[in-house]
Amino acid sequence: MRIFAFSTLRTFWESHPDAEMPLRSWYALASRAIWKTPADIKAAYRNASFVGNGRVVLNIKGNDYRLVVAIRYEKGLMYVRFIGTHRQYDKIDVETI
């Protein structure tokens, strides 16, 4: 997958250093992946949630943080739309962010 907005991840881990290694690991795996369907993501991330409008919610660092990505399977593109704490996540509309 081609992932856009790596800088969003970096900005987040600069203020949450404990998230750096889990986010780097996720990025390394996802950037090498060829995910054509939600089932492909589920095979790699059992706890992935598919919430509509091409959005996928992933738990980061043992569910300490939430990562929301928008996926265009047919083009192999993934856009980082949100990374934050559960409290921050509760304040967003995950389908439109």
Side-chain angles (χ1 to χ4, degrees):
M1 300 295 293
R2 185 166 177 207
I3 303 170
F4 292 92
F6 181 78
S7 62
T8 301
L9 303 177
R10 184 179 28 243
T11 298
F12 184 77
W13 76 54
E14 286 172 354
S15 61
H16 298 86
D18 61 328
E20 181 175 1
M21 289 313 299
L23 286 170
R24 283 186 182 274
S25 295
W26 171 82
Y27 184 86
L29 186 140
S31 63
R32 290 188 312 267
I34 300 172
W35 291 327
K36 299 286 185 185
T37 67
D40 295 337
I41 295 173
K42 269 292 199 193
Y45 291 96
R46 292 183 332 188
N47 293 325
S49 299
F50 302 89
V51 294
N53 198 22
R55 303 302 198 266
V56 180
V57 180
L58 301 156
N59 297 323
I60 301 294
K61 196 187 165 279
N63 203 22
D64 286 353
Y65 303 109
R66 293 277 175 97
L67 172 65
V68 178
V69 295
I71 298 181
R72 300 296 175 251
Y73 296 100
E74 70 283 355
K75 295 183 179 188
L77 302 176
M78 182 179 292
Y79 303 88
V80 174
R81 304 300 299 155
F82 171 85
I83 177 70
T85 64
H86 282 272
R87 181 175 288 174
Q88 293 166 329
Y89 174 82
D90 289 342
K91 294 178 182 178
I92 66 168
D93 179 351
V94 72
E95 290 185 28
T96 60
I97 195 163

